[in-house]
Amino acid sequence: KAGVTQTPRYLIKTRGQQVTLSCSPISGHRSVSWYQQTPGQGLQFLFEYFSETQRNKGNFPGRFSGRQFSNSRSEMNVSTLELGDSALYLCASSPDQETQYFGPGTRLLVL
Amino acid sequence: AQKVTQAQTEISVVEKEDVTLDCVYETRDTTYYLFWYKQPPSGELVFLIRRNSFDEQNEISGRYSWNFQKSTSSFNFTITASQVVDSAVYFCALISWGKLQFGAGTQVVVTP
């Protein structure tokens, strides 16, 4: 089976812009979660989607949003980008709510 | 609230030495899962092992082994006979209600 894929892999944006990141889960996995990784805060949970519904949400401002499509693919959107949003964004898919399998991540740089 | 603590920031070893990574967790849940993930320089988190809260049996899988002790809330991980390819950041994590709580990670450096 193909692993979790994320696009794009690298992205450079300027403050105030918005960005959309995409994640395709492992075939058959219905749960998709998003995480932000920064040197200062480490790995932090953003949100989880299951069957097109947001099931869990972390402590991030409303500028961070997501959605999941009927084929389980997920997108994450960040509006009004700030310098502090520069991070590695990781997507994970899961078949069973326990073991999460991660994609290669999208490295976002906000200038 | 849940918390995962990895007190070791960095461990440096010479190839073929054993490496033990410490992990201590806090949770009020009675059912939970614990994980170890590896993050090489490429950035992708690679799943290594999983243990549920009801199973304290310690196991060995190849060069990896783990020691889960519920009484001390510890879930330590050992790499036996380390290799240069083991150089990475290792994360301990706890999951409950679908949210993974990660520790800060331990950088392992294996030199030839």
PDB file of all heavy atoms in Angstrom, chain A residues 35 37 43 45 56-57 88 90 96-104 107, chain B residues 33 35 37 39 41-45 47 50 91 95 97-100 102:
ATOM      1  N   TYR A  35      -0.685  17.834  12.476  1.00  0.00           N
ATOM      2  CA  TYR A  35       0.185  18.276  13.554  1.00  0.00           C
ATOM      3  C   TYR A  35       1.116  19.369  13.041  1.00  0.00           C
ATOM      4  O   TYR A  35       1.499  19.378  11.875  1.00  0.00           O
ATOM      5  CB  TYR A  35       1.049  17.108  14.077  1.00  0.00           C
ATOM      6  CG  TYR A  35       0.251  16.019  14.735  1.00  0.00           C
ATOM      7  CD1 TYR A  35      -0.367  15.030  13.971  1.00  0.00           C
ATOM      8  CD2 TYR A  35       0.080  15.987  16.104  1.00  0.00           C
ATOM      9  CE1 TYR A  35      -1.118  14.034  14.564  1.00  0.00           C
ATOM     10  CE2 TYR A  35      -0.669  14.988  16.717  1.00  0.00           C
ATOM     11  CZ  TYR A  35      -1.266  14.022  15.934  1.00  0.00           C
ATOM     12  OH  TYR A  35      -2.016  13.039  16.529  1.00  0.00           O
ATOM     13  N   GLN A  37       4.842  21.110  13.795  1.00  0.00           N
ATOM     14  CA  GLN A  37       6.103  20.908  14.501  1.00  0.00           C
ATOM     15  C   GLN A  37       6.994  22.127  14.342  1.00  0.00           C
ATOM     16  O   GLN A  37       7.331  22.520  13.208  1.00  0.00           O
ATOM     17  CB  GLN A  37       6.837  19.664  13.988  1.00  0.00           C
ATOM     18  CG  GLN A  37       8.093  19.340  14.793  1.00  0.00           C
ATOM     19  CD  GLN A  37       8.784  18.075  14.332  1.00  0.00           C
ATOM     20  OE1 GLN A  37       8.668  17.665  13.174  1.00  0.00           O
ATOM     21  NE2 GLN A  37       9.501  17.406  15.241  1.00  0.00           N
ATOM     22  N   LEU A  43       5.977  19.061  18.729  1.00  0.00           N
ATOM     23  CA  LEU A  43       4.863  18.526  17.943  1.00  0.00           C
ATOM     24  C   LEU A  43       3.551  18.818  18.656  1.00  0.00           C
ATOM     25  O   LEU A  43       3.339  18.388  19.777  1.00  0.00           O
ATOM     26  CB  LEU A  43       5.006  17.017  17.779  1.00  0.00           C
ATOM     27  CG  LEU A  43       5.962  16.550  16.688  1.00  0.00           C
ATOM     28  CD1 LEU A  43       6.496  15.169  16.987  1.00  0.00           C
ATOM     29  CD2 LEU A  43       5.244  16.554  15.344  1.00  0.00           C
ATOM     30  N   PHE A  45      -0.789  18.914  18.285  1.00  0.00           N
ATOM     31  CA  PHE A  45      -1.967  18.431  17.575  1.00  0.00           C
ATOM     32  C   PHE A  45      -2.825  19.604  17.121  1.00  0.00           C
ATOM     33  O   PHE A  45      -3.146  20.508  17.900  1.00  0.00           O
ATOM     34  CB  PHE A  45      -2.757  17.525  18.525  1.00  0.00           C
ATOM     35  CG  PHE A  45      -4.102  17.107  18.027  1.00  0.00           C
ATOM     36  CD1 PHE A  45      -4.225  16.098  17.079  1.00  0.00           C
ATOM     37  CD2 PHE A  45      -5.255  17.704  18.500  1.00  0.00           C
ATOM     38  CE1 PHE A  45      -5.469  15.698  16.621  1.00  0.00           C
ATOM     39  CE2 PHE A  45      -6.504  17.305  18.058  1.00  0.00           C
ATOM     40  CZ  PHE A  45      -6.612  16.308  17.115  1.00  0.00           C
ATOM     41  N   ASN A  56     -11.792  15.971  16.649  1.00  0.00           N
ATOM     42  CA  ASN A  56     -10.983  16.521  17.728  1.00  0.00           C
ATOM     43  C   ASN A  56     -10.311  17.790  17.252  1.00  0.00           C
ATOM     44  O   ASN A  56     -10.013  17.925  16.062  1.00  0.00           O
ATOM     45  CB  ASN A  56      -9.876  15.529  18.146  1.00  0.00           C
ATOM     46  CG  ASN A  56     -10.391  14.431  19.031  1.00  0.00           C
ATOM     47  OD1 ASN A  56     -10.918  14.670  20.111  1.00  0.00           O
ATOM     48  ND2 ASN A  56     -10.264  13.195  18.576  1.00  0.00           N
ATOM     49  N   LYS A  57     -10.030  18.673  18.182  1.00  0.00           N
ATOM     50  CA  LYS A  57      -9.387  19.925  17.812  1.00  0.00           C
ATOM     51  C   LYS A  57      -8.384  20.292  18.900  1.00  0.00           C
ATOM     52  O   LYS A  57      -8.667  20.163  20.094  1.00  0.00           O
ATOM     53  CB  LYS A  57     -10.437  21.025  17.666  1.00  0.00           C
ATOM     54  CG  LYS A  57      -9.907  22.314  17.062  1.00  0.00           C
ATOM     55  CD  LYS A  57     -11.041  23.299  16.866  1.00  0.00           C
ATOM     56  CE  LYS A  57     -10.572  24.528  16.096  1.00  0.00           C
ATOM     57  NZ  LYS A  57      -9.424  25.211  16.678  1.00  0.00           N
ATOM     58  N   LEU A  88       6.916  22.713  10.247  1.00  0.00           N
ATOM     59  CA  LEU A  88       6.683  21.499   9.481  1.00  0.00           C
ATOM     60  C   LEU A  88       5.279  21.024   9.843  1.00  0.00           C
ATOM     61  O   LEU A  88       4.969  20.840  11.021  1.00  0.00           O
ATOM     62  CB  LEU A  88       7.708  20.432   9.850  1.00  0.00           C
ATOM     63  CG  LEU A  88       7.545  19.048   9.198  1.00  0.00           C
ATOM     64  CD1 LEU A  88       7.754  19.130   7.689  1.00  0.00           C
ATOM     65  CD2 LEU A  88       8.524  18.041   9.815  1.00  0.00           C
ATOM     66  N   LEU A  90       2.607  18.129   9.620  1.00  0.00           N
ATOM     67  CA  LEU A  90       2.555  16.691   9.397  1.00  0.00           C
ATOM     68  C   LEU A  90       1.125  16.200   9.412  1.00  0.00           C
ATOM     69  O   LEU A  90       0.329  16.588  10.262  1.00  0.00           O
ATOM     70  CB  LEU A  90       3.355  15.962  10.476  1.00  0.00           C
ATOM     71  CG  LEU A  90       4.876  16.151  10.417  1.00  0.00           C
ATOM     72  CD1 LEU A  90       5.507  15.819  11.753  1.00  0.00           C
ATOM     73  CD2 LEU A  90       5.465  15.272   9.323  1.00  0.00           C
ATOM     74  N   ASP A  96      -7.534   2.822  12.928  1.00  0.00           N
ATOM     75  CA  ASP A  96      -8.164   2.314  14.139  1.00  0.00           C
ATOM     76  C   ASP A  96      -8.165   3.274  15.316  1.00  0.00           C
ATOM     77  O   ASP A  96      -8.363   2.855  16.436  1.00  0.00           O
ATOM     78  CB  ASP A  96      -7.447   1.035  14.580  1.00  0.00           C
ATOM     79  CG  ASP A  96      -5.961   1.251  14.812  1.00  0.00           C
ATOM     80  OD1 ASP A  96      -5.488   2.417  14.739  1.00  0.00           O
ATOM     81  OD2 ASP A  96      -5.257   0.263  15.048  1.00  0.00           O
ATOM     82  N   GLN A  97      -7.918   4.520  15.085  1.00  0.00           N
ATOM     83  CA  GLN A  97      -7.858   5.545  16.137  1.00  0.00           C
ATOM     84  C   GLN A  97      -6.676   5.402  17.063  1.00  0.00           C
ATOM     85  O   GLN A  97      -6.518   6.207  17.963  1.00  0.00           O
ATOM     86  CB  GLN A  97      -9.129   5.518  17.005  1.00  0.00           C
ATOM     87  CG  GLN A  97     -10.242   6.385  16.501  1.00  0.00           C
ATOM     88  CD  GLN A  97     -11.320   6.555  17.551  1.00  0.00           C
ATOM     89  OE1 GLN A  97     -12.057   5.620  17.855  1.00  0.00           O
ATOM     90  NE2 GLN A  97     -11.421   7.741  18.098  1.00  0.00           N
ATOM     91  N   GLU A  98      -5.859   4.402  16.894  1.00  0.00           N
ATOM     92  CA  GLU A  98      -4.704   4.271  17.764  1.00  0.00           C
ATOM     93  C   GLU A  98      -3.405   4.563  17.022  1.00  0.00           C
ATOM     94  O   GLU A  98      -2.819   5.608  17.200  1.00  0.00           O
ATOM     95  CB  GLU A  98      -4.670   2.876  18.412  1.00  0.00           C
ATOM     96  CG  GLU A  98      -5.660   2.732  19.532  1.00  0.00           C
ATOM     97  CD  GLU A  98      -6.950   2.106  19.096  1.00  0.00           C
ATOM     98  OE1 GLU A  98      -6.935   1.360  18.118  1.00  0.00           O
ATOM     99  OE2 GLU A  98      -7.974   2.347  19.743  1.00  0.00           O
ATOM    100  N   THR A  99      -2.967   3.659  16.195  1.00  0.00           N
ATOM    101  CA  THR A  99      -1.696   3.860  15.510  1.00  0.00           C
ATOM    102  C   THR A  99      -1.860   4.829  14.353  1.00  0.00           C
ATOM    103  O   THR A  99      -2.673   4.604  13.464  1.00  0.00           O
ATOM    104  CB  THR A  99      -1.141   2.529  14.989  1.00  0.00           C
ATOM    105  OG1 THR A  99      -1.021   1.625  16.083  1.00  0.00           O
ATOM    106  CG2 THR A  99       0.222   2.734  14.345  1.00  0.00           C
ATOM    107  N   GLN A 100      -1.092   5.902  14.375  1.00  0.00           N
ATOM    108  CA  GLN A 100      -1.131   6.903  13.312  1.00  0.00           C
ATOM    109  C   GLN A 100       0.135   6.796  12.473  1.00  0.00           C
ATOM    110  O   GLN A 100       1.232   6.708  12.997  1.00  0.00           O
ATOM    111  CB  GLN A 100      -1.270   8.303  13.913  1.00  0.00           C
ATOM    112  CG  GLN A 100      -2.583   8.464  14.671  1.00  0.00           C
ATOM    113  CD  GLN A 100      -2.836   9.891  15.127  1.00  0.00           C
ATOM    114  OE1 GLN A 100      -2.123  10.817  14.772  1.00  0.00           O
ATOM    115  NE2 GLN A 100      -3.870  10.068  15.925  1.00  0.00           N
ATOM    116  N   TYR A 101      -0.068   6.830  11.175  1.00  0.00           N
ATOM    117  CA  TYR A 101       1.032   6.731  10.223  1.00  0.00           C
ATOM    118  C   TYR A 101       1.191   8.086   9.542  1.00  0.00           C
ATOM    119  O   TYR A 101       0.225   8.622   9.012  1.00  0.00           O
ATOM    120  CB  TYR A 101       0.760   5.629   9.201  1.00  0.00           C
ATOM    121  CG  TYR A 101       0.645   4.270   9.843  1.00  0.00           C
ATOM    122  CD1 TYR A 101      -0.593   3.782  10.273  1.00  0.00           C
ATOM    123  CD2 TYR A 101       1.767   3.475  10.038  1.00  0.00           C
ATOM    124  CE1 TYR A 101      -0.694   2.538  10.891  1.00  0.00           C
ATOM    125  CE2 TYR A 101       1.668   2.229  10.649  1.00  0.00           C
ATOM    126  CZ  TYR A 101       0.439   1.773  11.074  1.00  0.00           C
ATOM    127  OH  TYR A 101       0.327   0.551  11.676  1.00  0.00           O
ATOM    128  N   PHE A 102       2.416   8.581   9.563  1.00  0.00           N
ATOM    129  CA  PHE A 102       2.658   9.941   9.134  1.00  0.00           C
ATOM    130  C   PHE A 102       3.171  10.043   7.702  1.00  0.00           C
ATOM    131  O   PHE A 102       3.853   9.159   7.194  1.00  0.00           O
ATOM    132  CB  PHE A 102       3.676  10.607  10.068  1.00  0.00           C
ATOM    133  CG  PHE A 102       3.107  10.977  11.403  1.00  0.00           C
ATOM    134  CD1 PHE A 102       2.946  10.022  12.399  1.00  0.00           C
ATOM    135  CD2 PHE A 102       2.702  12.280  11.659  1.00  0.00           C
ATOM    136  CE1 PHE A 102       2.396  10.358  13.627  1.00  0.00           C
ATOM    137  CE2 PHE A 102       2.155  12.630  12.885  1.00  0.00           C
ATOM    138  CZ  PHE A 102       2.012  11.676  13.871  1.00  0.00           C
ATOM    139  N   GLY A 103       2.856  11.187   7.104  1.00  0.00           N
ATOM    140  CA  GLY A 103       3.388  11.537   5.797  1.00  0.00           C
ATOM    141  C   GLY A 103       4.711  12.260   5.949  1.00  0.00           C
ATOM    142  O   GLY A 103       5.184  12.477   7.066  1.00  0.00           O
ATOM    143  N   PRO A 104       5.316  12.662   4.833  1.00  0.00           N
ATOM    144  CA  PRO A 104       6.631  13.305   4.864  1.00  0.00           C
ATOM    145  C   PRO A 104       6.597  14.750   5.352  1.00  0.00           C
ATOM    146  O   PRO A 104       7.635  15.314   5.664  1.00  0.00           O
ATOM    147  CB  PRO A 104       7.087  13.235   3.407  1.00  0.00           C
ATOM    148  CG  PRO A 104       5.818  13.219   2.638  1.00  0.00           C
ATOM    149  CD  PRO A 104       4.839  12.452   3.462  1.00  0.00           C
ATOM    150  N   ARG A 107       6.903  21.620   4.600  1.00  0.00           N
ATOM    151  CA  ARG A 107       7.676  22.658   5.295  1.00  0.00           C
ATOM    152  C   ARG A 107       7.204  24.017   4.789  1.00  0.00           C
ATOM    153  O   ARG A 107       7.356  24.335   3.610  1.00  0.00           O
ATOM    154  CB  ARG A 107       9.167  22.496   5.031  1.00  0.00           C
ATOM    155  CG  ARG A 107       9.754  21.260   5.686  1.00  0.00           C
ATOM    156  CD  ARG A 107      11.279  21.233   5.638  1.00  0.00           C
ATOM    157  NE  ARG A 107      11.795  19.980   6.184  1.00  0.00           N
ATOM    158  CZ  ARG A 107      12.029  19.778   7.463  1.00  0.00           C
ATOM    159  NH1 ARG A 107      11.826  20.739   8.346  1.00  0.00           N
ATOM    160  NH2 ARG A 107      12.512  18.616   7.887  1.00  0.00           N
TER     161      ARG A 107
ATOM    162  N   TYR B  33      -2.768   4.196  24.784  1.00  0.00           N
ATOM    163  CA  TYR B  33      -1.714   3.544  24.022  1.00  0.00           C
ATOM    164  C   TYR B  33      -0.461   4.400  24.071  1.00  0.00           C
ATOM    165  O   TYR B  33      -0.544   5.628  24.077  1.00  0.00           O
ATOM    166  CB  TYR B  33      -2.146   3.359  22.558  1.00  0.00           C
ATOM    167  CG  TYR B  33      -3.203   2.304  22.370  1.00  0.00           C
ATOM    168  CD1 TYR B  33      -4.544   2.577  22.618  1.00  0.00           C
ATOM    169  CD2 TYR B  33      -2.862   1.023  21.953  1.00  0.00           C
ATOM    170  CE1 TYR B  33      -5.511   1.608  22.453  1.00  0.00           C
ATOM    171  CE2 TYR B  33      -3.837   0.045  21.776  1.00  0.00           C
ATOM    172  CZ  TYR B  33      -5.155   0.346  22.037  1.00  0.00           C
ATOM    173  OH  TYR B  33      -6.107  -0.622  21.873  1.00  0.00           O
ATOM    174  N   PHE B  35       3.462   4.960  22.300  1.00  0.00           N
ATOM    175  CA  PHE B  35       4.173   4.753  21.034  1.00  0.00           C
ATOM    176  C   PHE B  35       5.597   5.268  21.119  1.00  0.00           C
ATOM    177  O   PHE B  35       5.909   6.161  21.914  1.00  0.00           O
ATOM    178  CB  PHE B  35       3.488   5.529  19.896  1.00  0.00           C
ATOM    179  CG  PHE B  35       2.061   5.156  19.655  1.00  0.00           C
ATOM    180  CD1 PHE B  35       1.055   5.722  20.408  1.00  0.00           C
ATOM    181  CD2 PHE B  35       1.722   4.264  18.649  1.00  0.00           C
ATOM    182  CE1 PHE B  35      -0.281   5.393  20.193  1.00  0.00           C
ATOM    183  CE2 PHE B  35       0.406   3.935  18.419  1.00  0.00           C
ATOM    184  CZ  PHE B  35      -0.593   4.501  19.195  1.00  0.00           C
ATOM    185  N   TYR B  37       8.154   6.798  18.055  1.00  0.00           N
ATOM    186  CA  TYR B  37       8.328   7.175  16.658  1.00  0.00           C
ATOM    187  C   TYR B  37       9.765   7.635  16.464  1.00  0.00           C
ATOM    188  O   TYR B  37      10.395   8.169  17.368  1.00  0.00           O
ATOM    189  CB  TYR B  37       7.395   8.332  16.276  1.00  0.00           C
ATOM    190  CG  TYR B  37       5.948   7.961  16.064  1.00  0.00           C
ATOM    191  CD1 TYR B  37       5.048   7.952  17.127  1.00  0.00           C
ATOM    192  CD2 TYR B  37       5.478   7.634  14.794  1.00  0.00           C
ATOM    193  CE1 TYR B  37       3.713   7.628  16.931  1.00  0.00           C
ATOM    194  CE2 TYR B  37       4.134   7.310  14.591  1.00  0.00           C
ATOM    195  CZ  TYR B  37       3.266   7.310  15.672  1.00  0.00           C
ATOM    196  OH  TYR B  37       1.948   6.992  15.466  1.00  0.00           O
ATOM    197  N   GLN B  39      12.196  10.063  13.927  1.00  0.00           N
ATOM    198  CA  GLN B  39      12.175  11.117  12.915  1.00  0.00           C
ATOM    199  C   GLN B  39      13.582  11.340  12.399  1.00  0.00           C
ATOM    200  O   GLN B  39      14.396  12.018  13.027  1.00  0.00           O
ATOM    201  CB  GLN B  39      11.601  12.425  13.479  1.00  0.00           C
ATOM    202  CG  GLN B  39      11.384  13.483  12.409  1.00  0.00           C
ATOM    203  CD  GLN B  39      10.697  14.729  12.939  1.00  0.00           C
ATOM    204  OE1 GLN B  39      11.018  15.214  14.018  1.00  0.00           O
ATOM    205  NE2 GLN B  39       9.747  15.255  12.187  1.00  0.00           N
ATOM    206  N   PRO B  41      16.424  12.886   9.611  1.00  0.00           N
ATOM    207  CA  PRO B  41      16.556  14.264   9.108  1.00  0.00           C
ATOM    208  C   PRO B  41      15.557  14.621   8.001  1.00  0.00           C
ATOM    209  O   PRO B  41      15.232  15.783   7.827  1.00  0.00           O
ATOM    210  CB  PRO B  41      17.994  14.296   8.586  1.00  0.00           C
ATOM    211  CG  PRO B  41      18.712  13.305   9.442  1.00  0.00           C
ATOM    212  CD  PRO B  41      17.719  12.199   9.673  1.00  0.00           C
ATOM    213  N   SER B  42      15.053  13.647   7.296  1.00  0.00           N
ATOM    214  CA  SER B  42      14.085  13.938   6.221  1.00  0.00           C
ATOM    215  C   SER B  42      12.782  14.503   6.778  1.00  0.00           C
ATOM    216  O   SER B  42      12.039  15.163   6.049  1.00  0.00           O
ATOM    217  CB  SER B  42      13.779  12.665   5.426  1.00  0.00           C
ATOM    218  OG  SER B  42      13.211  11.680   6.283  1.00  0.00           O
ATOM    219  N   GLY B  43      12.490  14.257   8.043  1.00  0.00           N
ATOM    220  CA  GLY B  43      11.325  14.861   8.674  1.00  0.00           C
ATOM    221  C   GLY B  43      10.141  13.948   8.894  1.00  0.00           C
ATOM    222  O   GLY B  43       9.290  14.238   9.729  1.00  0.00           O
ATOM    223  N   GLU B  44      10.043  12.872   8.153  1.00  0.00           N
ATOM    224  CA  GLU B  44       8.879  12.000   8.306  1.00  0.00           C
ATOM    225  C   GLU B  44       8.946  11.239   9.622  1.00  0.00           C
ATOM    226  O   GLU B  44       9.982  10.719   9.997  1.00  0.00           O
ATOM    227  CB  GLU B  44       8.825  11.010   7.137  1.00  0.00           C
ATOM    228  CG  GLU B  44       7.635  10.078   7.157  1.00  0.00           C
ATOM    229  CD  GLU B  44       7.545   9.256   5.896  1.00  0.00           C
ATOM    230  OE1 GLU B  44       8.240   9.577   4.919  1.00  0.00           O
ATOM    231  OE2 GLU B  44       6.766   8.278   5.892  1.00  0.00           O
ATOM    232  N   LEU B  45       7.825  11.163  10.320  1.00  0.00           N
ATOM    233  CA  LEU B  45       7.757  10.393  11.563  1.00  0.00           C
ATOM    234  C   LEU B  45       7.478   8.935  11.213  1.00  0.00           C
ATOM    235  O   LEU B  45       6.467   8.627  10.579  1.00  0.00           O
ATOM    236  CB  LEU B  45       6.646  10.921  12.461  1.00  0.00           C
ATOM    237  CG  LEU B  45       6.984  12.130  13.329  1.00  0.00           C
ATOM    238  CD1 LEU B  45       5.720  12.712  13.926  1.00  0.00           C
ATOM    239  CD2 LEU B  45       7.945  11.751  14.424  1.00  0.00           C
ATOM    240  N   PHE B  47       6.648   5.195  12.483  1.00  0.00           N
ATOM    241  CA  PHE B  47       6.117   4.416  13.599  1.00  0.00           C
ATOM    242  C   PHE B  47       7.050   3.245  13.899  1.00  0.00           C
ATOM    243  O   PHE B  47       7.465   2.516  13.003  1.00  0.00           O
ATOM    244  CB  PHE B  47       4.719   3.910  13.241  1.00  0.00           C
ATOM    245  CG  PHE B  47       4.206   2.820  14.134  1.00  0.00           C
ATOM    246  CD1 PHE B  47       3.829   3.089  15.434  1.00  0.00           C
ATOM    247  CD2 PHE B  47       4.101   1.516  13.663  1.00  0.00           C
ATOM    248  CE1 PHE B  47       3.360   2.078  16.259  1.00  0.00           C
ATOM    249  CE2 PHE B  47       3.624   0.502  14.477  1.00  0.00           C
ATOM    250  CZ  PHE B  47       3.253   0.787  15.779  1.00  0.00           C
ATOM    251  N   ARG B  50       4.110   0.084  19.446  1.00  0.00           N
ATOM    252  CA  ARG B  50       2.908   0.485  20.160  1.00  0.00           C
ATOM    253  C   ARG B  50       2.682  -0.483  21.310  1.00  0.00           C
ATOM    254  O   ARG B  50       2.919  -1.678  21.183  1.00  0.00           O
ATOM    255  CB  ARG B  50       1.711   0.445  19.212  1.00  0.00           C
ATOM    256  CG  ARG B  50       0.369   0.678  19.883  1.00  0.00           C
ATOM    257  CD  ARG B  50      -0.756   0.616  18.886  1.00  0.00           C
ATOM    258  NE  ARG B  50      -1.542  -0.592  19.006  1.00  0.00           N
ATOM    259  CZ  ARG B  50      -2.659  -0.808  18.314  1.00  0.00           C
ATOM    260  NH1 ARG B  50      -3.079   0.083  17.459  1.00  0.00           N
ATOM    261  NH2 ARG B  50      -3.321  -1.918  18.473  1.00  0.00           N
ATOM    262  N   PHE B  91      10.728  10.034  19.390  1.00  0.00           N
ATOM    263  CA  PHE B  91       9.638  10.607  20.167  1.00  0.00           C
ATOM    264  C   PHE B  91       8.835   9.513  20.837  1.00  0.00           C
ATOM    265  O   PHE B  91       8.454   8.518  20.204  1.00  0.00           O
ATOM    266  CB  PHE B  91       8.694  11.410  19.268  1.00  0.00           C
ATOM    267  CG  PHE B  91       9.281  12.678  18.723  1.00  0.00           C
ATOM    268  CD1 PHE B  91       9.898  12.690  17.483  1.00  0.00           C
ATOM    269  CD2 PHE B  91       9.216  13.854  19.457  1.00  0.00           C
ATOM    270  CE1 PHE B  91      10.443  13.858  16.974  1.00  0.00           C
ATOM    271  CE2 PHE B  91       9.750  15.030  18.958  1.00  0.00           C
ATOM    272  CZ  PHE B  91      10.368  15.029  17.714  1.00  0.00           C
ATOM    273  N   ILE B  95      -1.539   8.300  23.315  1.00  0.00           N
ATOM    274  CA  ILE B  95      -2.775   8.654  22.610  1.00  0.00           C
ATOM    275  C   ILE B  95      -3.982   8.366  23.465  1.00  0.00           C
ATOM    276  O   ILE B  95      -4.056   7.348  24.149  1.00  0.00           O
ATOM    277  CB  ILE B  95      -2.896   7.924  21.261  1.00  0.00           C
ATOM    278  CG1 ILE B  95      -3.928   8.623  20.377  1.00  0.00           C
ATOM    279  CG2 ILE B  95      -3.237   6.464  21.438  1.00  0.00           C
ATOM    280  CD1 ILE B  95      -3.903   8.176  18.944  1.00  0.00           C
ATOM    281  N   TRP B  97      -8.347   9.354  23.080  1.00  0.00           N
ATOM    282  CA  TRP B  97      -9.393  10.025  22.338  1.00  0.00           C
ATOM    283  C   TRP B  97      -8.880  10.587  21.011  1.00  0.00           C
ATOM    284  O   TRP B  97      -9.267  11.659  20.584  1.00  0.00           O
ATOM    285  CB  TRP B  97     -10.020  11.156  23.163  1.00  0.00           C
ATOM    286  CG  TRP B  97     -10.657  10.662  24.407  1.00  0.00           C
ATOM    287  CD1 TRP B  97     -10.169  10.702  25.680  1.00  0.00           C
ATOM    288  CD2 TRP B  97     -11.921   9.984  24.503  1.00  0.00           C
ATOM    289  NE1 TRP B  97     -11.035  10.127  26.559  1.00  0.00           N
ATOM    290  CE2 TRP B  97     -12.124   9.666  25.861  1.00  0.00           C
ATOM    291  CE3 TRP B  97     -12.904   9.625  23.577  1.00  0.00           C
ATOM    292  CZ2 TRP B  97     -13.258   9.007  26.311  1.00  0.00           C
ATOM    293  CZ3 TRP B  97     -14.041   8.968  24.026  1.00  0.00           C
ATOM    294  CH2 TRP B  97     -14.193   8.666  25.375  1.00  0.00           C
ATOM    295  N   GLY B  98      -8.010   9.850  20.367  1.00  0.00           N
ATOM    296  CA  GLY B  98      -7.551  10.203  19.031  1.00  0.00           C
ATOM    297  C   GLY B  98      -6.466  11.254  18.962  1.00  0.00           C
ATOM    298  O   GLY B  98      -5.968  11.553  17.882  1.00  0.00           O
ATOM    299  N   LYS B  99      -6.071  11.838  20.095  1.00  0.00           N
ATOM    300  CA  LYS B  99      -5.035  12.874  20.076  1.00  0.00           C
ATOM    301  C   LYS B  99      -3.721  12.286  20.548  1.00  0.00           C
ATOM    302  O   LYS B  99      -3.645  11.712  21.633  1.00  0.00           O
ATOM    303  CB  LYS B  99      -5.377  14.013  21.026  1.00  0.00           C
ATOM    304  CG  LYS B  99      -6.559  14.845  20.666  1.00  0.00           C
ATOM    305  CD  LYS B  99      -6.660  16.009  21.672  1.00  0.00           C
ATOM    306  CE  LYS B  99      -7.986  16.693  21.556  1.00  0.00           C
ATOM    307  NZ  LYS B  99      -8.082  17.827  22.512  1.00  0.00           N
ATOM    308  N   LEU B 100      -2.702  12.485  19.733  1.00  0.00           N
ATOM    309  CA  LEU B 100      -1.368  12.053  20.129  1.00  0.00           C
ATOM    310  C   LEU B 100      -0.673  13.179  20.882  1.00  0.00           C
ATOM    311  O   LEU B 100      -0.574  14.292  20.378  1.00  0.00           O
ATOM    312  CB  LEU B 100      -0.530  11.721  18.894  1.00  0.00           C
ATOM    313  CG  LEU B 100      -0.397  10.274  18.453  1.00  0.00           C
ATOM    314  CD1 LEU B 100       0.402  10.188  17.173  1.00  0.00           C
ATOM    315  CD2 LEU B 100       0.228   9.413  19.527  1.00  0.00           C
ATOM    316  N   PHE B 102       2.881  14.195  22.282  1.00  0.00           N
ATOM    317  CA  PHE B 102       4.282  13.810  22.110  1.00  0.00           C
ATOM    318  C   PHE B 102       5.173  14.373  23.208  1.00  0.00           C
ATOM    319  O   PHE B 102       4.902  15.441  23.770  1.00  0.00           O
ATOM    320  CB  PHE B 102       4.806  14.354  20.772  1.00  0.00           C
ATOM    321  CG  PHE B 102       4.300  13.626  19.561  1.00  0.00           C
ATOM    322  CD1 PHE B 102       3.159  14.061  18.907  1.00  0.00           C
ATOM    323  CD2 PHE B 102       4.973  12.532  19.071  1.00  0.00           C
ATOM    324  CE1 PHE B 102       2.693  13.399  17.778  1.00  0.00           C
ATOM    325  CE2 PHE B 102       4.528  11.864  17.944  1.00  0.00           C
ATOM    326  CZ  PHE B 102       3.385  12.296  17.300  1.00  0.00           C
TER     327      PHE B 102
END
